Amino acid sequence: MTDADGQSPRERYRDQVRAEIKQRAWEQIAAAGVPALSLNAIAKQVGMSGPALYRYFASRDDLITALIRDAYRSLADTVRAAFDSGADLAGLAVTIRDWARSDPQRYFLIYGTPVPGYHAPEDTTAISAEVMAVLLEACRAITVEKPETPFDKHLEGHRDWAGDDPATSATLHRALAFWTRLHGVLSLELAGHFTGMKFDSDLLIADELDDLTKR
């Protein structure tokens, strides 16, 4: 017997258990960081033995991969929905910032310090590329061709990261500038580095966006 989504009771139960395991993992990460993630500790929390938990996630890296995929999928879907609803580049920055501030640990898992000894599968990169694809679309709408810079010229031969997007080097440059500067500010903000400086980070981001979105 299957439900309206075509799942059997066993499949639904498996999905529920996997979801609970991931929630416990996020709680551990929030408390002590990714390096402290322990499958045995999670197994005790969900009321199963360590070997039983491995039927749901084959290893610690497998669990981390699932968390990373979920994070990238959430961000990619959020950014795409905002753009399809009419958000311009500045609006996308607000969307990304709101997403990051809603769950800083999730943000740092994908944009923070790499997890020692962990190597993400290639398909996680494909999901993250969906975010850049939207940024390129938004940048194309405002990019005005200007005198070519050395980096513009460099990008002519180093654009594999943009996939099949036909963007000009100037558009690629603007998208990269937006991406690096926004995440630079977000990383510092979420890590608390602005707290003691006592300035308005909203105004800082507004100024950065004004500069990045000039035609």
Side-chain angles (χ1 to χ4, degrees), residues 100-145:
R101 294 173 75 179
S102 72
D103 191 339
Q105 292 301 328
R106 179 177 58 177
Y107 174 84
F108 282 124
L109 180 62
I110 56 177
Y111 288 116
T113 304
V115 180
Y118 172 79
H119 300 285
E122 290 186 5
D123 66 334
T124 58
T125 303
I127 301 173
S128 68
E130 294 180 32
V131 177
M132 182 58 74
V134 175
L135 299 184
L136 285 169
E137 289 183 63
C139 286
R140 189 178 295 110
I142 62 173
T143 296
V144 175
E145 297 303 320

Side-chain angles (χ1 to χ4, degrees), residues 4-58:
D5 295 326
Q7 284 190 310
S8 67
R10 183 175 181 178
E11 290 170 331
R12 285 199 305 275
Y13 175 74
R14 180 177 178 80
D15 286 348
Q16 290 169 359
V17 174
R18 282 176 61 89
E20 184 178 1
I21 291 170
K22 287 190 287 186
Q23 179 57 41
R24 296 295 186 179
W26 282 122
E27 292 170 1
Q28 278 195 16
I29 290 171
V34 180
L37 190 63
S38 167
L39 266 64
N40 286 331
I42 293 173
K44 291 179 181 178
Q45 289 179 311
V46 299
M48 64 174 63
S49 67
L53 186 142
Y54 284 95
R55 292 201 297 268
Y56 297 93
F57 292 97

Side-chain angles (χ1 to χ4, degrees), residues 131-183:
V131 177
M132 182 58 74
V134 175
L135 299 184
L136 285 169
E137 289 183 63
C139 286
R140 189 178 295 110
I142 62 173
T143 296
V144 175
E145 297 303 320
K146 298 179 180 179
E148 189 175 61
T149 70
F151 188 57
D152 288 335
K153 189 171 181 62
H154 174 75
L155 283 174
E156 292 174 4
H158 297 81
R159 53 182 299 143
D160 288 351
W161 55 271
D164 296 329
D165 195 291
T168 64
S169 293
T171 296
L172 296 178
H173 191 164
R174 186 187 291 267
L176 280 176
F178 174 88
W179 185 71
T180 55
R181 288 167 67 173
L182 177 63
H183 285 302

Side-chain angles (χ1 to χ4, degrees), residues 79-99:
V79 169
R80 170 54 69 181
F83 183 71
D84 289 347
S85 296
D88 58 8
L89 196 59
L92 293 179
V94 172
T95 296
I96 294 170
R97 186 184 184 211
D98 287 347
W99 182 90

